[in-house]
Every structure is written in C-alpha cells, then in structure tokens.
Amino acid sequence: MSPFAPFLSHALGTPVSAPRTTLPWPLVALFTAGYLAPYLLPTTVGRLDAALPLTATQAGAVGSALLLASATAGFLLASRVDRIGARPLARAGLVLAALGYGGAALTHAVPAVVTGALIGGFGSGTVTAVAATGIAAQRDPHHASTLGLLGVSALAGAVYLTVPHLGPGHGQPLAAIALTALAVWPLTGRLPGRTADGPAAHRPEGRPPLPHRTLGLLLVAAMPCWSLAQNALWGVSGRIGLRQAHLTEATVGVVFAVALGAGLLGVLGAGAIGPRLGRAVPIGAGTALIAGCITLSASAADLPTFASGEIAWNLCYPIVLSYLIGLAASLDPRGRWAVLAGSASSLGTAAGPLAGSLLSAWAGFPAMGAVLAAGLLVVAVPMTVVARRAGRVVLPVVEIPLETPALPARGAYDTAAASPLPSASAR
C-alpha cells in the first residue's frame, strides 16, 4: 500500500503565485497511471502463479519486488522532482513503465518477466512521485487526490471485468498497465520542465529543512505497517476466492470490480465530507473498520462472505488513504512528506504480497487475517495521534504551475484548513 513538490520551483518557504488550472488533470492522470500496478496486484500475482513456473510464494515475491522498485523510486526522488523537472521526470517514468510492463507481458522467460516488472515498478514509482508532490502543492490536495483515486479505481475495475475474458496467461494485466502509461504520455506536455534554475534555487541558505519532523517521522514509520496489512490481504485475495471460497476466476473478477466500484463511492463520500470530521476520526476509526473487513474476507468460505469482506474493505480503504495523503501533505506544502510517506507506504506494499503468501502458507488464510487485523489496530494509535496534532498545523501553500494561461495571483492560504491529502501510497 499502499499511499504519494515537483513544481515548487521558485519557493523556499514562501508562497508564490503561479499559473494553474482549476483541476490538475495531468496530475490526476499521472496518479492513475502510477497507482494502477498496486491496484492490479491480485490478478497480476495470481496469473504469474498460474501461467509461469512459479510457486505462489515466488509469484508473491515478484509482486513484492515490483512494488519495492516503486518505493525505491519514491525515496530517491522525494526532494529532486523540482530540480529534474516534472515533465522530463514524468515522461521518463512513463517510458520505463511502458517498456518494463510491456516487455514482461510479451515474454514467458521468468528472468525477463522479473526484470520487466522491476523496470516497470521503478517507472510507476517515478510517475507517482511526480503526481504526489504536485498534488501536495495544490490548493485543495484532498480534492485532487480524490479524483486520482476515482480514476484508478474505475480503470482497475474495468480491467478486472475484462481480463478473465481475454484468455489465460500472465500478460494481460501487465499490458494494461503499459498501455495506460502510453495513454497518459500526451498529457505531460502541460507539466513544467526543469524549474529549479531560478534565483531561489541559488540562495545561500539552500533548501529549507523538512518542517514538523517529529510528526512526519512518526507518520512515515507507521505507513509501512498500515500498507503491509492492506496488501498482504490484497495480494492473496484472488487465491482466497479461488481456493478457499471455491469461486471461478470470472466470479472473483466480478467481486473485485464491484468492490472497486464501492471504493469509488467511498472516495466520493470522502470528497463530499472533506475536512468536516478532521483527520483523526476518519483515520483512526476507518483503520479499525478495515481491520474487521480483513478478518471477514480472510475467513471467507463462500461467495457472500468473500464478497462482503472485499466490498466493505474496498469501501473503507480509499477513504482512509485519501485522509492519510492529506495528512502528509498538510505537514509540508512542498510535498516532501507526502512523497516520503507514500514511499514508506510502498515499502509495506512491497512486502505485502510476500507476507500474505508466507502467513497464509504457514497458518492459513483466517489466521493470516487475524494477525493483520491485530497489527492494524496497533498502528492506528500513532497515526491517530499524528492526525490530531497535525490539525493545528498551519502552513503556506505554493501552487503548481501547470502550463495554462495565468489567473490573477493569490496570496498565501492555510493548507491544513484547506484539506487533508492521500499521502502518495500504493494500494
């Protein structure tokens, strides 16, 4: 899980007005392309297991390696997007994603598939870093991230409905990710190039330090645990449906599509509620609800129980994720905590498929669910503490200069009051 200030070129802690659009559609599209691989993890891992000479644990390890590559890109680029430039970095990430996933989809050689997955994962992480840092600099990051979650949920749902009808093989979900990267490419023309060459970039005082270090570090430390629990279940959900609930792949695909549709409703609800409930209640109570959903889904032995657990979980997950992204964004308008928290989340996301495979092989799916739920209840405590304390944080915001006609300049405004962000994380 999985969690996500490239365009803050001229600011070093002071608000700057810049051309912008009402809705940052290029960033939303990048968010969708970057998050699609984690969202398709169950079908990707399941088909690697079924179509290639890999065990279930080995297939889970490939999924983990893909997401670890994505997390690595996020950590490497968290503070470099503005220096490299949003446009060239996004394009590089999309090329890597298209080549890596596309190459993995076209070969049956296991080493080549693993290599392609690693290259594609690094590309996904690069794209997510650009999207997350840009969204963190938005006037309303919660709204922008909500649109991104809507996009990726809708696209992943369509893939889950389509893939079972395209025949066996491991390539279909990987090809879907590669084609999405290619489709998003034209929108990168509206992103700025390298923007750190202005006078502010050469000031003797250099880059400002990360603000609110204690809160940020506590959130970054908690995110891997939160994401690991989500993706440990998500990575084996297909096998729970096929082997424990005795469903067909087509039926499991329909359940996943409906569940992602419920996720759309959850994201819409989170967008409508916005900051009215603060961040602590949605994050703390929402995580507790997710723990219950994981327990239900992991113990499913029939279609009603499996569908109920997966749908309820997918309804709650994006709501909490959107508030976590908002929480990370509120700690630094330059987007650095958003990318660091998202990359930390991706570490948990990367470990999730392997952890789920190992736990379920060792103790069975129900016991795995109980362990994951207990871990979520523990990690909900520090995350809620951070959310409560961050509610008093007031930070200036720097707007993202997408290349559109300039609007009248605006002054500084309060990020914390404006919204809560989904930290950039993986599913």
Side-chain angles (χ1 to χ4, degrees), residues 83-100:
R83 282 186 283 171
I84 299 173
R87 185 191 306 133
L89 198 56
R91 287 178 172 176
L94 292 171
V95 167
L96 289 175
L99 292 178

Side-chain angles (χ1 to χ4, degrees), residues 44 151 200 285:
T44 300

Side-chain angles (χ1 to χ4, degrees), residues 5 7-17 82 137 199-201 203 205-212 331-336 394-399 411-413 415:
F7 316 127
L8 313 177
S9 47
H10 307 304
L12 283 171
T14 56
V16 174
S17 299
D82 55 336
R203 291 178 185 171
E205 60 267 30
R207 292 179 174 275
L210 278 169
H212 309 288
L331 297 176
D332 178 23
R334 299 175 68 87
R336 291 168 292 179
V394 177
L395 292 170
V397 168
V398 182
E399 295 182 8
Y413 39 75
T415 299

Side-chain angles (χ1 to χ4, degrees), residues 174-195:
L174 294 170
I177 306 171
L179 292 174
T180 300
L182 293 177
V184 169
W185 172 277
L187 295 177
T188 59
R190 293 176 57 192
L191 299 173
R194 187 168 183 262
T195 57

Side-chain angles (χ1 to χ4, degrees), residues 268-357:
L268 289 172
I273 295 171
R276 292 185 184 89
L277 298 177
R279 299 188 188 97
V281 171
I283 290 173
T287 298
L289 286 173
I290 288 173
C293 295
I294 287 178
T295 302
L296 179 63
S297 184
S299 63
D302 53 37
L303 175 58
T305 307
F306 178 72
S308 298
E310 291 291 327
I311 291 171
W313 175 57
N314 276 276
L315 178 66
C316 296
Y317 165 80
I319 296 176
V320 179
L321 176 60
S322 69
Y323 281 97
L324 285 171
I325 299 178
L327 175 59
S330 73
L331 297 176
D332 178 23
R334 299 175 68 87
R336 291 168 292 179
W337 280 126
V339 175
L340 289 172
S343 298
S345 175
S346 293
L347 289 177
T349 300
L354 183 58
S357 295

Side-chain angles (χ1 to χ4, degrees), residues 226-248:
W226 189 86
S227 295
L228 184 146
Q230 313 295 332
N231 277 284
L233 174 70
W234 189 240
V236 300
S237 286
R239 277 180 272 160
I240 293 174
L242 293 172
R243 300 178 185 178
Q244 184 171 278
H246 307 293
L247 307 175
T248 65

